[in-house]
Amino acid sequence: MIPWLLLALPLPALAALDKTHGVSPALQDKYIATTSGTWKCLDGSKEIAWSAVNDDYCDCADGSDEPGTSACPDTTFYCTNIGHIGTTIPSSRVNDGLCEPECCDGSDEAPGVCLNLCKQIGEVHRKKVEAELKLRKTGSKIRGTYIAFAHKEKKRLEGLIVNLEREVASREQEVERLRDIAERAESLSAAELERKKQSPLYQSLLSHHTALKSLRKEHKKHLEKEKVLGEILDSLRTGYNPNYQDMAVLEAVRGWESLAGLPHINDVRKGEDGGEEAQAETSKVEEQEEGIWNADQIEVELDRLLKADHVSLLLEHDNIVIRAPPQAILFDITAYLPDSLLPTYVTFRNSVLSWLHVFGIGAVVSDTSAESNRARQALTDAEHSLKLTREEQQTAREDLSDLYNPEGFGLEGEWKKLDGLCLEKNVGDYTYEVCLFEEARQKPNKGGSTFSLGKFTSWNQLAKPGELEYYSKQRYTQGAKCWNGPQRSVELILACGTENALLTVAELEKCEYQITGTTPALCRPLEDENEKVEL
């Protein structure tokens, strides 16, 4: 052969391939010849000459003797890609004359066929990964605030449930109290009730009510006058000239400062001139006599006292103080009657009582007086309030149960913060709106009807709750029906991002929409803060 022609041939034509060419790093230690110059197939089925490895002829049943050629079917080739990331391709694509993009070093083809682009591609990849890591790190910090919100929400709900349990117990007692009052009021005649109202106790209650109402009115007048007077004295205190020796003004200012617990105005000015903060004198706290209300209690308790129902208090007082003695069984006729005659007797007794009432005989006959109606209405209102409180308590318990449900707001409650958050994307003729965990809508920008695209149905059912992939998709179904088509629906595809935003809207099939977006809720924290880009 002509010598210069030998120099023109590629290297593989002059020497056999390196025995570890195409071998992944994990298997490098398997490709070592024995002392006798042989090598065993990786499946252990055969022992061949070391020279037969990577000789472009398939000797092993598992194809492990040809990691760097395409001689064996259904095998793989490892591209080292120094400067980028190593990867694996099917061996059938080795030496096929095509430069595989996965092998940026060109090692899948003979030397000189493909350029080694790993340095450039690796640089671009590293910048991309660094940007993604930065975004993920920033997003995970925002996600941390969502988790903190869930913790606060948990404490709030737990406190709310405790308070509602107490409120339910209190309202149950109030309902029982008002039921007893209503029953007693309905059993009294109007004349009997009016007679009870003439009692010294009831009249004293009315007098106290009038006195409290008058005192509150006068108290408010004095508070308003005190406020105006305080503003006048404050103006005098800050505006008077200390160099003007007017003892009357000085005494007025000093007196106001003492009463209001304020520092002397001259000391405050000196502190400002000298650049030091003036220290205000601590106002003296008056020792409060036990049982005496302060100003805040007066505001609350006076309103409660003035709203008290005195008739109810009167009846409740009678119930406690003047309890009727138990009726002796000797005088209870019904105790001696057989069960068969009892209905006839009750009908007869009620008829007689009715006639006695017509002729004005008998004082204890139930009537429908205004007072009994009011007592019954108070009972109805209390029962309604109790029902609402119980419903609120049940809702709070359900909210607490859902907070860390992996099928709902996530294992760490990171999605609770976004519950009901509405995101929009304008795409020309329409604005698409998705209110997370609620409903998706299509709103025309030039007038017309808004259509429901569906209500939240589920997360990604192809993944397991708790997995990142599970929270990457939301389904909104059962929207408004399309004309001559299906009901509208939306698949919302989410990715990690520093903002909660919608990016794209596409109608893949008739009335079936795919919307993409980003959210920090998907930016899970880095497993290692020193995580480095793989080369």
Side-chain angles (χ1 to χ4, degrees):
M1 183 177 289
I2 304 173
W4 62 266
L5 183 59
L6 289 173
L7 295 174
L9 290 174
L11 185 61
L14 298 175
L17 286 174
D18 183 277
K19 301 305 181 183
T20 59
H21 184 64
V23 178
S24 68
L27 298 175
Q28 289 280 340
D29 59 346
K30 303 290 185 182
Y31 285 81
I32 299 174
T34 63
T35 55
S36 60
T38 62
W39 183 80
K40 185 176 287 188
C41 301
L42 293 184
D43 62 359
S45 62
K46 190 176 182 181
E47 190 169 345
I48 62 175
W50 177 244
S51 60
V53 176
N54 265 346
D55 66 348
D56 205 20
Y57 182 81
C58 193
D59 297 296
C60 296
D62 62 354
S64 58
D65 63 309
E66 296 298 319
T69 73
S70 58
C72 298
D74 301 324
T75 55
T76 58
F77 176 86
Y78 183 78
C79 308
T80 306
N81 291 342
I82 297 175
H84 188 37
I85 301 173
T87 189
T88 301
I89 64 171
S91 293
S92 59
R93 291 157 62 179
V94 175
N95 290 326
D96 61 354
L98 300 175
C99 298
E100 302 300 331
E102 295 92 335
C103 286
C104 60
D105 60 357
S107 59
D108 61 310
E109 301 297 328
V113 174
C114 301
L115 296 175
N116 187 338
L117 303 175
C118 285
K119 182 178 180 181
Q120 299 92 312
I121 293 175
E123 188 66 27
V124 172
H125 175 74
R126 281 188 289 275
K127 288 182 179 179
K128 180 182 178 182
V129 170
E130 287 172 1
E132 290 176 351
L133 290 176
K134 184 177 179 181
L135 180 145
R136 183 176 160 195
K137 188 174 182 180
T138 303
S140 68
K141 289 181 179 179
I142 301 173
R143 180 178 181 271
T145 64
Y146 295 172
I147 295 173
F149 174 84
H151 291 332
K152 291 181 180 178
E153 185 68 4
K154 179 176 180 289
K155 291 181 179 179
R156 185 189 71 82
L157 288 171
E158 288 174 341
L160 178 61
I161 289 171
V162 171
N163 292 335
L164 288 174
E165 286 175 351
R166 293 172 182 166
E167 187 174 348
V168 165
S170 175
R171 289 189 182 279
E172 286 174 343
Q173 292 179 355
E174 180 69 4
V175 165
E176 290 305 315
R177 185 182 74 84
L178 292 174
R179 179 177 287 113
D180 181 66
I181 291 173
E183 290 173 354
R184 287 177 58 80
E186 289 171 354
S187 68
L188 289 174
S189 66
E192 177 67 11
L193 185 58
E194 287 302 319
R195 187 187 68 80
K196 289 179 179 294
K197 285 183 179 181
Q198 302 304 315
S199 70
L201 173 63
Y202 185 77
Q203 295 300 318
S204 177
L205 285 175
L206 293 182
S207 298
H208 280 77
H209 177 83
T210 303
L212 287 175
K213 195 172 182 180
S214 303
L215 285 172
R216 185 173 69 168
K217 184 177 180 181
E218 291 299 317
H219 178 63
K220 287 184 176 181
K221 286 182 181 179
H222 285 295
L223 287 179
E224 291 172 359
K225 289 180 180 179
E226 181 184 334
K227 181 180 177 183
V228 173
L229 181 60
E231 291 173 352
I232 294 172
L233 291 172
D234 278 334
S235 177
L236 175 63
R237 174 174 173 267
T238 57
Y240 89 104
N241 184 357
N243 297 321
Y244 181 67
Q245 299 298 324
D246 189 330
M247 296 306 296
V249 173
L250 181 60
E251 288 180 10
V253 169
R254 287 297 181 110
W256 171 239
E257 288 172 344
S258 176
L259 179 64
L262 300 171
H264 186 41
I265 189 63
N266 288 345
D267 297 336
V268 174
R269 287 168 177 164
K270 288 176 183 178
E272 292 174 349
D273 294 339
E276 298 178 357
E277 294 184 359
Q279 298 295 322
E281 297 178 3
T282 304
S283 58
K284 296 180 180 179
V285 180
E286 295 181 359
E287 292 186 3
Q288 186 175 337
E289 186 178 342
E290 185 178 357
I292 300 300
W293 295 341
N294 58 30
D296 292 335
Q297 288 175 309
I298 289 174
E299 282 295 321
V300 175
E301 297 298 332
L302 276 183
D303 282 340
R304 182 180 64 80
L305 289 174
L306 291 173
K307 290 177 181 177
D309 184 352
H310 298 113
V311 173
S312 297
L313 292 174
L314 178 63
L315 296 175
E316 191 172 9
H317 174 266
D318 285 350
N319 185 39
I320 295 172
V321 178
I322 317 174
R323 289 184 181 274
Q327 186 177 4
I329 191 171
L330 180 65
F331 301 102
D332 186 2
I333 299 176
T334 58
Y336 300 96
L337 293 175
D339 293 341
S340 58
L341 297 178
L342 190 59
T344 304
Y345 166 74
V346 171
T347 302
F348 171 75
R349 184 192 64 185
N350 291 341
S351 177
V352 171
L353 291 175
S354 177
W355 279 105
L356 289 174
H357 177 65
V358 170
F359 291 106
I361 304 173
V364 186
V365 180
S366 55
D367 70 343
T368 56
S369 66
E371 298 297 347
S372 65
N373 287 341
R374 186 167 65 175
R376 180 58 64 178
Q377 183 61 48
L379 173 61
T380 301
D381 292 343
E383 289 174 334
H384 181 66
S385 297
L386 175 60
K387 179 185 176 184
L388 294 179
T389 305
R390 283 173 173 167
E391 290 175 352
E392 187 179 356
Q393 182 187 43
Q394 181 63 26
T395 300
R397 286 174 175 166
E398 292 173 356
D399 289 346
L400 182 61
S401 175
D402 292 341
L403 189 56
Y404 293 107
N405 183 353
E407 296 183 6
F409 296 125
L411 289 171
E412 298 179 278
E414 65 271 23
W415 292 92
K416 177 61 179 178
K417 175 77 172 179
L418 305 181
D419 186 17
L421 176 66
C422 295
L423 309 176
E424 291 188 345
K425 179 65 177 178
N426 189 327
V427 295
D429 292 336
Y430 297 98
T431 292
Y432 289 85
E433 179 185 65
V434 178
C435 294
L436 299 177
F437 301 100
E438 292 182 357
E439 189 174 11
R441 303 178 186 86
Q442 181 192 62
K443 301 188 291 188
N445 293 332
K446 299 178 181 178
S449 300
T450 295
F451 290 103
S452 171
L453 301 182
K455 294 184 178 180
F456 175 73
T457 305
S458 67
W459 290 103
N460 183 10
Q461 296 300 297
L462 300 179
K464 294 181 179 179
E467 296 178 349
L468 188 64
E469 186 65 22
Y470 180 77
Y471 305 105
S472 65
K473 292 181 182 178
Q474 285 190 341
R475 290 283 300 165
Y476 292 79
T477 60
Q478 302 298 312
K481 193 176 187 304
C482 284
W483 182 83
N484 199 26
Q487 286 183 290
R488 292 173 172 85
S489 63
V490 168
E491 181 181 58
L492 176 63
I493 301 177
L494 297 168
C496 168
T498 56
E499 294 182 349
N500 293 295
L502 302 183
L503 302 180
T504 64
V505 179
E507 189 174 2
L508 303 182
E509 299 289 342
K510 185 175 182 180
C511 298
E512 295 181 4
Y513 300 87
Q514 184 184 82
I515 301 178
T516 65
T518 60
T519 174
L522 281 175
C523 299
R524 294 193 174 177
L526 304 176
E527 294 179 358
D528 182 2
E529 289 298 328
N530 298 319
E531 182 176 346
K532 296 181 179 179
V533 180
E534 181 183 355
L535 298 181

Short mmCIF file of all heavy atoms in Angstrom, two decimals, residues 113 158 271 437 484:
data_model
loop_
_atom_site.label_atom_id
_atom_site.label_comp_id
_atom_site.label_asym_id
_atom_site.label_seq_id
_atom_site.Cartn_x
_atom_site.Cartn_y
_atom_site.Cartn_z
N VAL A 113 -15.73 12.83 11.52
CA VAL A 113 -17.05 12.90 10.88
C VAL A 113 -17.91 13.99 11.54
O VAL A 113 -18.57 14.78 10.86
CB VAL A 113 -17.76 11.53 10.96
CG1 VAL A 113 -19.19 11.64 10.41
CG2 VAL A 113 -16.98 10.48 10.17
N GLU A 158 -57.71 26.10 64.67
CA GLU A 158 -57.76 25.39 65.95
C GLU A 158 -58.33 26.30 67.04
O GLU A 158 -59.16 25.86 67.86
CB GLU A 158 -56.37 24.91 66.34
CG GLU A 158 -55.87 23.76 65.48
CD GLU A 158 -54.41 23.39 65.77
OE1 GLU A 158 -53.70 24.23 66.34
OE2 GLU A 158 -54.01 22.28 65.41
N GLY A 271 -34.97 68.17 73.98
CA GLY A 271 -34.56 66.90 73.39
C GLY A 271 -34.47 67.00 71.89
O GLY A 271 -33.57 66.46 71.25
N PHE A 437 -59.02 26.19 42.31
CA PHE A 437 -59.87 25.35 43.17
C PHE A 437 -61.35 25.74 43.08
O PHE A 437 -62.15 25.22 43.86
CB PHE A 437 -59.41 25.39 44.64
CG PHE A 437 -58.00 24.92 44.84
CD1 PHE A 437 -56.97 25.84 44.98
CD2 PHE A 437 -57.70 23.57 44.87
CE1 PHE A 437 -55.67 25.42 45.17
CE2 PHE A 437 -56.39 23.15 45.05
CZ PHE A 437 -55.38 24.07 45.19
N ASN A 484 -73.77 22.08 19.78
CA ASN A 484 -73.48 20.90 18.97
C ASN A 484 -72.14 20.28 19.36
O ASN A 484 -71.38 19.80 18.51
CB ASN A 484 -73.49 21.24 17.48
CG ASN A 484 -73.66 19.99 16.62
OD1 ASN A 484 -74.24 18.99 17.08
ND2 ASN A 484 -73.16 20.03 15.41
#
